[in-house]
Structures are given as C-alpha cells and as structure tokens.
C-alpha cells in the first residue's frame, strides 16, 4: 500500500469566526474578505456580534458610554448587518455577554481542529485588553481537546492604511497639517474591497447556530 501524501499536521476542520465590533459592514471590510478567502479553501465561517456589558457601563468619570441615540444606532446597524449577511447565504449570531466567553464558546476543541478568529485591529486599551483576554481563553479552550486557535487582527479603521504611511509611527507628526502634507504627497488610499458574492461565506454551521442566540437584534 502506498503512503498517504496528506499532511498529518493539516487540520481536519477549520472554523473562521468573524468577530464584528466597530466595523459593521460587509463592503470594504478586510475581515470579511479574508473570511471569504479561507472559506474558498474549505473553512466554515461564523460571523458574530457581542453586546458586551463593558460598553453599557459608565466611564470612570461617570459618563454614560451608551446613550439612547447611540444604542438605537447600534441596534439598527447590527440588524442591518444581519439582514445583509442572510442575503448572502450566511447569518450573524448575536449574543449579550462577555466577548471572551462568547468567542471562546465558538472555538473548536476537537483533536487537529483549528479556529481562526478574525477581528479588526484595535488601538485603545479597553479593546486591546479585551482582545488579549479573548485570545487567551480561546487558546485554552481549543487545547482542552487537542485543537488550535489563533487570532488574526486586520487593520481597517483609518482612511490610510497603517502600512502605507510614509513614516514610522514613532515619527508621527504632532499636528494635522504636516501629517496631511506627508500622506497626500507620498501615499494613496487603498482601493475599496468589494462585498463578497452570494454564497462566498457559506452558511453558518448547525453546531454554532444551535447555541442560545438573540434571534433578532431588535429583541435585545
């Protein structure tokens, strides 16, 4: 009998979790484009949004972080994203809870199974601390059964991509005019990323959809 040519380290199953946070679009969204590319290689894709209690609390100075108008806008944006994803043949799983707990719940734990969490790169302390907690928990959960989990943080929150800046961040101009003069003369805004085609993200696997989710954001 001939030897198998398959790679013994190749994962038997790959799940891609798109952790939507501040960029609630499918158009011009690098995380969505990356998920579609991984789906084309055989991965299953699970889009998720978490209403984390962290953002309902008042700040250290006693200021409400989520007023009525902003809460209404957030609900409408999440609902629109869910509608858009369903039209593409996918869906958006919505949950209220700690982000690290929800994302970890979607992590595969089987031997030789892999979970990839795609999320937009954040730069402020609360969001980056949340990233660290979520990644640590997902990694621990995956390892309980011999699986693997990793995060891919993708830049997408600025007009100019961070990799295209004509200077190191340590040399970032202190005021706007010098910054503008440098970027306008030495770099270009990247082209828009098109929306995924119908079916490009696949359908949400039953094993993920069976959890207790908020069926409609408006029910929140």
């Amino acid at each position: 009998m001939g030897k198998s040519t398959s790679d013994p380290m190749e994962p038997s199953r790959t799940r891609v979790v798109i952790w939507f946070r501040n960029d609630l679009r499918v158009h011009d969204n690098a995380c969505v484009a990356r998920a579609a590319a991984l789906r084309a290689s055989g991965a299953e894709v699970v889009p998720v949004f978490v209403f984390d209690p962290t953002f309902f609390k008042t700040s250290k100075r006693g200021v409400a972080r989520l007023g009525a108008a902003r809460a209404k806008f957030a609900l409408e944006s999440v609902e629109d994203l869910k509608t858009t994803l369903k039209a593409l043949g996918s869906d958006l799983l919505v949950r209220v809870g700690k982000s690290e707990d929800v994302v970890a719940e979607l992590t595969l734990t089987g031997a030789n199974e892999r979970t990839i969490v795609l999320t937009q790169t954040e730069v402020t302390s609360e969001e980056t601390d949340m990233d660290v907690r979520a990644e640590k928990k997902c990694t621990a959960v995956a390892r309980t059964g011999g699986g693997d989990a990793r995060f891919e943080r993708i830049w997408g929150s600025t007009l100019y991509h961070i990799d295209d800046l004509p200077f190191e961040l340590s040399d970032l101009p202190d005021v706007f005019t010098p910054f503008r003069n440098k970027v306008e003369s030495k770099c270009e805004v990247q082209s828009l990323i098109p929306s995924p085609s119908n079916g490009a993200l696949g359908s949400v696997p039953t094993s993920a959809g069976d959890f207790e989710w908020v069926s409609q954001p408006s029910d929140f």
Side-chain angles (χ1 to χ4, degrees):
M1 179 181 290
K3 294 183 179 180
S4 172
T5 58
S6 61
D7 184 350
M9 299 303 293
E10 187 71 18
S12 59
R13 179 184 178 193
T14 299
R15 170 173 291 176
V16 177
V17 178
I18 311 176
W19 180 13
F20 285 97
R21 298 163 80 179
N22 293 315
D23 190 352
L24 305 183
R25 308 170 296 168
V26 297
H27 180 66
D28 199 30
N29 189 317
C31 289
V32 174
R34 172 66 171 149
L38 291 168
R39 168 64 183 170
S41 298
E44 60 188 48
V45 177
V46 182
V48 62
F49 180 87
V50 184
F51 284 101
D52 194 297
T54 299
F55 303 111
F56 303 141
K57 298 178 180 178
T58 56
S59 69
K60 294 178 180 179
R61 297 180 179 179
V63 178
R65 302 179 188 219
L66 195 68
R70 186 177 179 186
K72 182 176 183 293
F73 177 74
L75 287 169
E76 290 173 347
S77 298
V78 172
E79 191 155 20
D80 182 72
L81 176 59
K82 183 177 180 72
T83 299
T84 302
L85 287 168
K86 291 181 75 171
L88 294 173
S90 181
D91 202 348
L92 179 69
L93 304 182
V94 181
R95 173 74 72 83
V96 180
K98 290 185 178 180
S99 296
E100 57 265 34
D101 293 340
V102 176
V103 176
E105 189 174 353
L106 294 170
T107 301
L108 298 177
T109 59
N112 206 30
E113 292 185 332
R114 177 174 61 185
T115 303
I116 302 173
V117 180
L118 304 178
T119 187
Q120 183 172 285
T121 303
E122 301 290 346
V123 296
T124 53
S125 61
E126 285 190 337
E127 284 79 4
T128 55
D129 288 347
M130 187 181 292
D131 274 7
V132 171
R133 293 195 302 270
E135 185 170 24
K136 184 180 295 186
K137 188 158 189 175
C138 288
T139 301
V141 168
R143 288 176 178 171
T144 60
D148 174 67
R150 73 170 191 261
F151 272 46
E152 289 188 16
R153 296 173 178 84
I154 303 175
W155 192 265
S157 60
T158 55
L159 179 63
Y160 290 100
H161 195 283
I162 191 171
D163 293 338
D164 296 335
L165 294 178
F167 44 75
E168 297 295 329
L169 287 183
S170 57
D171 297 324
L172 184 71
D174 294 328
V175 293
F176 177 70
T177 300
F179 169 82
R180 175 183 175 182
N181 291 339
K182 286 185 177 182
V183 296
E184 286 187 341
S185 63
K186 296 182 179 180
C187 62
E188 296 182 357
V189 176
Q190 293 187 358
S191 300
L192 294 176
I193 302 171
S195 299
S197 58
N198 288 343
L201 298 176
S203 58
V204 174
T206 303
S207 57
D210 282 346
F211 292 119
E212 184 180 351
W213 302 98
V214 178
S215 59
Q216 292 294 332
S218 57
D219 295 336
F220 172 64

